Amino acid sequence: MLKRLSIFLLATVGVMMMHSCARMGAPDGGWYDEVPPRVVATMPKERATGVTQKRLTIYFNEFIQLENAAENIVICPPQIEQPDIKTMGKSIRISLRDSLKANTTYTIDFSDAIKDNNENNPMGNYTFVFSTGDRIDTLAVSGYVVNAEDLEPVKGQLVGLYDNLEDSAFTTEPMLRTGRTDSYGHFIIRGVAPGRYRIFSLGDSDGDFKLSQRGEPLAFNHDIIVPSCRDDVRQDTIWKDSLHIADIRRVPYLRYLPDDICLRSFTQNPTARYLIKTERKEPDRFTVYFSTPSDTLPELTPLNFNDKDAYVIETTARRDTITYWLRDTALVNQDTLRVAMRYMMTDSLGALVAQTDTIELLAKVPYEKRMRFLNEDVEKWEKAKAKAEKKNQEFTERDPRIVALEPKYTGGGNKMSPDKGITVDFPTPLDTIFREKIHLYTMIDSVRTAVPLDISAAGDPVRRYDIRGEWKPATDYVLEIDSAAFRDIYGRVSDPKRFTVKIAPEEEFASLFVNVEGVTDSLSQAVVQLLDRNGKQIAESIARDNTAEFYYILPGTYYMRCLLDRNGNGKWDTGDYSLDLQPEEVYYNPKPIECKAKWDLTTTFRIGDTPFFRQKPDEMRKQKGQKKKTIKYRNAQRATELGLKYDREKVDSKF
């Protein structure tokens, strides 16, 4: 009897244990390890003073790995010679190669670089601290770095402090203490001693921790940073799982100030002038690229051709890129052109001197290959001509060997606003426009009636025309461009073109009036821009008497940006450290504007009230901040999906 009872009890216990295991475990192998690595020892000890050794070792309770060590780990003071950082099983070994500075606090900020080998649990925000002196400096400063032009967060840029308050320190001395911005543009500089500092940001391309190249992104201001700290209270959210809040607690902490520094990063325009390159992508032109603009154009002396009336010269707005269009088709067909080019360049002393180079210009697309393409185009043109003749469309007589000029037309169509027009872009410079071959009509009382139009040229040489009529809302127009209305410098003429232009009624548009407040610089004009959520400019208006006016705005959601234009050129200009010149200020309205049809909306754009790093709406940011890496609550979610009971403390105790 006792034997049977024992067997029964053992069977019952076995069933209960199997049931318990089934309820606690998961079918595919148990719970995830959510516990991050933990430091169990260091050599020297954390926060040790009087340290003289340059080899440091940190021991953990499990096997670990480092992720993007070069990007995530920041050592202060900055190391000119990069240290050797290795993982060795359950430890990290750091060998400093620079000499240790006396009476200095050293910080090694690992950020999220440390994680375990099993589940990639990040340790998160671990900083190892020691001192070569008799005390540890504990102050810290923090803030943000944004791009000055569009207020995008700047990731991976150095931010450093100087106790030398002279402007020259940034270009002659390495930074005293540094931090690095994360994906939010946020930085923290730790281990700071009491004192007075200036702060700079630098895209340090050569690793010398100072501004040594003009092409390095930088940010500066003249504010004096005085680190301090005070007791404060913050709210911490305790999560039950990834969706449910368990509690919100008020937690006392020591707050380090300042913690809201904002630096606007920019890249200076180059000052040294030199020839970047020359190229001849197409046989009919060649282009010369310089690092900076010049008041004078290069002097070209042909070495294997005659340059009499050989070029049509086209320059960019900055005059740093010059394109020479070849007028003579014999030169177009010549595979190699040799020229002696005399231009002004900057010498080693920073002075402009004359330089002469001999340049060979070989077409990337040889003449024979280009003629094959042209012959194919001629065949297409002849087929199009035959098709048109079948439809009784008139073509002006022309040499069939001449390839048609193919302008690009933009605009027209349905529901065009009354303030728009039709833009015609040409692939080559124009020689002549026959205005009498361009007509605009509308129907008045069933009678086709000519309407005045305006044709304006843009560029030198002309490669664009804007065509506008005296548009009336809710009216249909027909724009007819006759054959050969445009002729380029090679004698090619355009085909006929016919547009239907339908001007939308006024009630389909909105009007917006923006009162700009907070402009303290009387010498700057406020340029207000309407943007879509991708940052594309929809409209622009200069504020007159502090009011910017927008008409014929399509209904929709828009964002506003304001540029304080110092020099009145209508565009954003960068800064210059050597001239103590900050980049022009750009402001975003943090909230979108909703425009509705038939509405006249008046709003206020108050600039300067919101810090730069908080202005740009999240939906417009291209640099999306990466959330802190964590896999917490994965077990809770898994238990919910499987209908299991979950006890975090019991699961965590297993690891």
Side-chain angles (χ1 to χ4, degrees):
M1 185 70 179
L2 290 175
K3 184 176 181 181
R4 291 180 179 178
L5 182 60
S6 299
I7 294 173
F8 175 76
L9 290 175
L10 287 172
T12 303
V13 171
V15 170
M16 292 178 63
M17 290 179 65
M18 291 175 62
H19 177 73
S20 175
C21 290
R23 294 294 296 171
M24 188 61 186
D28 58 352
W31 301 104
Y32 296 108
D33 175 11
E34 292 184 357
V35 181
R38 178 170 50 86
V39 175
V40 295
T42 65
M43 185 182 298
K45 291 184 178 180
E46 286 198 57
R47 306 183 67 81
T49 57
V51 174
T52 58
Q53 64 195 71
K54 295 166 61 176
R55 175 172 290 184
L56 318 169
T57 307
I58 305 171
Y59 298 95
F60 297 86
N61 64 330
E62 58 180 312
F63 290 96
I64 54 92
Q65 56 182 311
L66 288 176
E67 180 179 326
N68 296 330
E71 179 180 333
N72 290 326
I73 300 176
V74 178
I75 300 179
C76 281
Q79 304 293 292
I80 302 300
E81 188 173 357
Q82 290 299 313
D84 183 32
I85 304 176
K86 295 180 179 178
T87 58
M88 303 179 67
K90 295 183 179 182
S91 65
I92 297 175
R93 178 172 294 175
I94 305 161
S95 298
L96 301 178
R97 294 174 177 171
D98 285 3
S99 299
L100 294 179
K101 297 181 179 181
N103 300 316
T104 301
T105 297
Y106 279 74
T107 59
I108 304 175
D109 187 352
F110 288 91
S111 185
D112 280 334
I114 302 173
K115 57 183 182 180
D116 66 22
N117 263 340
N118 295 328
E119 301 288 353
N120 292 331
N121 288 297
M123 184 174 179
N125 297 327
Y126 174 64
T127 302
F128 179 65
V129 181
F130 67 92
S131 175
T132 59
D134 57 1
R135 64 186 178 89
I136 298 287
D137 296 320
T138 59
L139 296 177
V141 298
S142 59
Y144 294 83
V145 178
V146 297
N147 186 296
E149 185 174 6
D150 58 11
L151 304 192
E152 280 286 313
V154 177
K155 179 183 177 181
Q157 193 155 304
L158 277 178
V159 185
L161 295 177
Y162 283 91
D163 56 2
N164 182 346
L165 306 182
E166 298 295 327
D167 289 343
S168 59
F170 191 29
T171 59
T172 58
E173 304 175 11
M175 294 172 173
L176 182 66
R177 302 204 69 81
T178 61
R180 193 181 296 276
T181 57
D182 61 15
S183 59
Y184 293 91
H186 184 253
F187 67 88
I188 302 176
I189 303 176
R190 295 184 171 89
V192 181
R196 292 161 54 85
Y197 301 91
R198 284 188 63 187
I199 191 166
F200 298 85
S201 179
L202 180 65
D204 190 22
S205 59
D206 53 7
D208 61 357
F209 298 95
K210 62 183 177 182
L211 179 62
S212 55
Q213 300 185 39
R214 195 169 177 85
E216 293 177 322
L218 73 137
F220 72 99
N221 60 38
H222 292 286
D223 296 341
I224 302 300
I225 305 298
V226 181
S228 63
C229 62
R230 71 166 190 240
D231 292 328
D232 208 335
V233 176
R234 66 168 178 257
Q235 288 187 340
D236 276 6
T237 302
I238 310 301
W239 293 87
K240 183 178 181 181
D241 53 42
S242 60
L243 299 177
H244 303 90
I245 296 176
D247 193 9
I248 298 178
R249 299 174 182 173
R250 290 173 57 84
V251 180
Y253 75 105
L254 191 61
R255 180 178 178 183
Y256 294 99
L257 300 171
D259 57 2
D260 58 354
I261 301 169
C262 187
L263 297 170
R264 297 185 301 128
S265 179
F266 64 94
T267 302
Q268 305 175 99
N269 287 328
T271 55
R273 191 169 198 267
Y274 54 89
L275 177 65
I276 298 176
K277 66 177 180 177
T278 60
E279 66 180 6
R280 189 183 175 195
K281 287 185 176 180
E282 299 291 340
D284 56 1
R285 60 192 179 273
F286 62 89
T287 304
V288 181
Y289 300 87
F290 290 96
S291 60
T292 61
S294 175
D295 295 333
T296 59
L297 295 176
E299 299 176 7
L300 300 186
T301 303
L303 300 179
N304 65 343
F305 64 94
N306 188 348
D307 70 336
K308 184 179 180 181
D309 198 27
Y311 318 117
V312 173
I313 302 176
E314 180 180 21
T315 64
T316 58
R318 293 189 68 242
R319 294 177 63 86
D320 56 0
T321 303
I322 307 159
T323 299
Y324 295 85
W325 294 86
L326 302 172
R327 281 184 176 274
D328 191 345
T329 54
L331 295 181
V332 174
N333 299 337
Q334 187 170 326
D335 285 342
T336 303
L337 303 176
R338 287 195 298 274
V339 297
M341 184 170 67
R342 187 174 186 271
Y343 59 94
M344 303 302 292
M345 65 167 288
T346 305
D347 65 8
S348 58
L349 299 178
L352 283 175
V353 297
Q355 169 77 14
T356 301
D357 293 338
T358 299
I359 299 170
E360 284 199 354
L361 300 159
L362 178 65
K364 289 188 176 181
V365 181
Y367 173 66
E368 292 81 3
K369 187 175 180 180
R370 181 173 181 271
M371 285 305 299
R372 186 165 66 250
F373 292 154
L374 292 181
N375 289 333
E376 292 174 359
D377 287 341
V378 169
E379 292 176 4
K380 292 179 182 178
W381 182 85
E382 288 176 342
K383 290 179 181 179
K385 180 180 178 181
K387 185 178 180 180
E389 286 175 346
K390 290 180 181 179
K391 296 181 179 180
N392 296 321
Q393 294 183 359
E394 295 182 356
F395 275 75
T396 303
E397 292 184 2
R398 62 183 177 185
D399 188 340
R401 291 172 298 177
I402 298 177
V403 180
L405 177 64
E406 297 182 353
K408 179 182 178 181
Y409 298 92
T410 306
N414 296 326
K415 293 188 176 182
M416 192 173 81
S417 63
D419 61 338
K420 304 296 183 184
I422 295 173
T423 301
V424 191
D425 290 291
F426 298 90
T428 52
L430 284 190
D431 177 72
T432 307
I433 174 175
F434 299 94
R435 295 173 182 263
E436 67 276 8
K437 295 188 176 185
I438 303 175
H439 317 279
L440 183 64
Y441 301 100
T442 189
M443 299 297 291
I444 299 179
D445 297 330
S446 301
V447 177
R448 180 166 159 154
T449 305
V451 176
L453 53 80
D454 177 71
I455 305 173
S456 57
D460 183 21
V462 177
R463 290 179 59 194
R464 167 175 288 189
Y465 276 95
D466 292 322
I467 302 175
R468 294 174 181 262
E470 295 181 357
W471 313 121
K472 293 182 180 180
T475 305
D476 294 349
Y477 297 86
V478 174
L479 177 65
E480 292 183 352
I481 300 176
D482 296 340
S483 179
F486 305 105
R487 184 174 66 202
D488 71 0
I489 60 176
Y490 304 112
R492 294 183 296 212
V493 294
S494 58
D495 285 334
K497 191 74 175 179
R498 187 176 187 273
F499 285 96
T500 298
V501 181
K502 296 185 177 183
I503 306 301
E506 288 187 333
E507 55 266 24
E508 293 189 7
F509 298 100
S511 297
L512 176 64
F513 306 95
V514 182
N515 297 322
V516 182
E517 297 181 355
V519 179
T520 57
D521 184 1
S522 60
L523 300 179
S524 298
Q525 65 177 8
V527 180
V528 181
Q529 298 169 339
L530 285 187
L531 313 172
D532 63 14
R533 66 179 301 159
N534 296 319
K536 180 182 177 182
Q537 182 177 315
I538 305 300
E540 181 179 274
S541 175
I542 297 176
R544 310 292 184 188
D545 297 326
N546 296 324
T547 300
E549 300 178 349
F550 297 90
Y551 298 95
Y552 302 114
I553 303 299
L554 289 173
T557 301
Y558 299 96
Y559 299 85
M560 288 194 300
R561 173 178 123 138
C562 180
L563 161 66
L564 293 189
D565 185 16
R566 284 194 299 256
N567 55 10
N569 64 354
K571 64 179 184 178
W572 180 83
D573 290 297
T574 190
D576 193 306
Y577 184 72
S578 62
L579 300 177
D580 195 23
L581 181 66
Q582 290 284 353
E584 289 181 336
E585 292 168 313
V586 171
Y587 299 90
Y588 281 79
N589 190 8
K591 296 182 179 179
I593 301 295
E594 186 72 27
C595 293
K596 299 181 180 180
K598 302 182 183 181
W599 279 35
D600 291 339
L601 177 64
T602 300
T603 187
T604 298
F605 190 167
R606 176 77 186 175
I607 67 174
D609 283 356
T610 305
F612 284 109
F613 62 88
R614 290 179 180 162
Q615 288 182 20
K616 193 166 188 179
D618 290 340
E619 53 268 31
M620 292 188 67
R621 291 184 180 178
K622 298 179 178 64
Q623 171 65 47
K624 301 295 185 182
Q626 299 173 352
K627 293 183 178 180
K628 290 295 183 183
K629 300 171 185 175
T630 178
I631 59 172
K632 282 186 177 181
Y633 315 117
R634 188 164 60 169
N635 284 327
Q637 293 173 347
R638 186 177 188 182
T640 301
E641 293 170 358
L642 298 175
L644 304 176
K645 184 178 179 181
Y646 174 64
D647 187 331
R648 172 171 297 280
E649 293 183 1
K650 185 180 293 185
V651 172
D652 286 351
S653 66
K654 294 177 178 291
F655 301 101

